Amino acid sequence: MIKIEHVCKKFPNIVALDDVSLDIQPNEVICLLGPSGSGKSTLLRSINALEIIDSGTISFDGVVVDTHNEKQLCDMRTKMGFVFQHFNLFPHLTVLENLLLGPVEVLGRNKEEVKVEALQLLDRVGLKEKADEYVNKLSGGQKQRVAIVRALCMKPEVMLFDEPTSALDPEMVKEVLDVMRELANDHMTMVIVTHEMNFAKEVATRIIFMDEGKIIEENTPEEFFAHPQQQRTKDFLAKVL
């Protein structure tokens, strides 16, 4: 589904991605783990071309992504849901208006048809009664659940999550992770940057551990947490578990 080959990305004074290669298959749940500044979010944003890579290639559904081709980028992004740390909802719109915007304006779908689907998804995440409220009235956990529903309304093939709980108060984290667990159980293809180790252990089909822009280790959750192979991985886990 997604093929990353020899990708490099530099920022001033830092190599964010250093010859990274990774294959992501349909229905996989991949958790990207590692210390801050290891390149996890840069890799995730590169998949969606929010960051433009310096070299290497990224392919989606067998087609190499051409960042100079606006139509191709737009088509690709409609198939990738992206959930950010800070929600990125429109505060001047209601919850439902936020959800309708993409499918109606970008995909050209029937508004009433999308509305039915959006309300069903809101009900699924326990927020149907908030449909007509403005998003600035919601808690952080509620906003993030709306952000996930907004991405799902586009019927994506893959969901990308960039530390979706890092901006939340601890008591709000569970309600967001519960939604993501349900998506994993439904076999949604997901790539998740997270610091939630227990969550990663529970839902991931594969763990990718990064440090200093490189993939240091990848394995099943069981093997990764119980039998880490690299010393850098062992040092990291000793600090976070």
Side-chain angles (χ1 to χ4, degrees), residues 81-208:
F82 202 114
V83 179
F84 300 85
Q85 293 181 34
H86 297 287
F87 327 126
N88 287 19
L89 298 168
F90 294 106
H92 63 289
L93 301 179
T94 66
V95 167
L96 189 57
E97 287 169 342
N98 267 277
L99 302 183
L100 296 180
L101 200 59
V104 174
E105 299 297 327
V106 178
L107 300 182
R109 294 186 58 207
N110 178 273
K111 185 175 181 179
E112 291 305 311
E113 184 181 291
V114 176
K115 183 176 178 180
V116 171
E117 293 175 5
L119 289 172
Q120 289 174 342
L121 285 167
L122 282 176
D123 191 33
R124 180 175 165 182
V125 301
L127 290 175
K128 189 174 181 180
E129 76 284 357
K130 302 290 186 182
D132 296 319
E133 284 197 21
Y134 286 92
V135 295
N136 58 4
K137 299 278 185 68
L138 304 181
S139 70
Q142 289 170 335
K143 288 177 183 175
Q144 196 60 295
R145 281 183 283 162
V146 170
I148 293 172
V149 169
R150 178 182 59 180
L152 292 174
C153 281
M154 298 292 284
K155 297 189 174 180
E157 295 179 20
V158 59
M159 289 281 285
L160 310 176
F161 294 86
D162 189 8
E163 298 189 35
T165 61
S166 65
L168 302 180
D169 293 332
E171 65 267 24
M172 296 176 184
V173 169
K174 182 180 182 299
E175 60 194 41
V176 173
L177 294 183
D178 283 346
V179 174
M180 295 170 66
R181 283 188 185 92
E182 193 171 326
L183 291 176
N185 290 337
D186 289 344
H187 307 293
M188 169 64 79
T189 307
M190 298 195 285
V191 185
I192 307 166
V193 175
T194 184
H195 292 291
E196 302 287 342
M197 296 298 141
N198 288 330
F199 171 75
K201 191 182 298 186
E202 179 185 345
V203 306
T205 54
R206 190 156 41 122
I207 301 287
I208 306 294

Side-chain angles (χ1 to χ4, degrees), residues 2 17 27 59-60 66 69 75 78 135 156 199 211 213-214 228:
I2 299 171
L17 298 175
N27 310 124
S59 304
F60 181 64
D66 178 2
N69 186 329
D75 290 345
T78 62
V135 295
F199 171 75
D211 190 34
K214 292 178 178 288

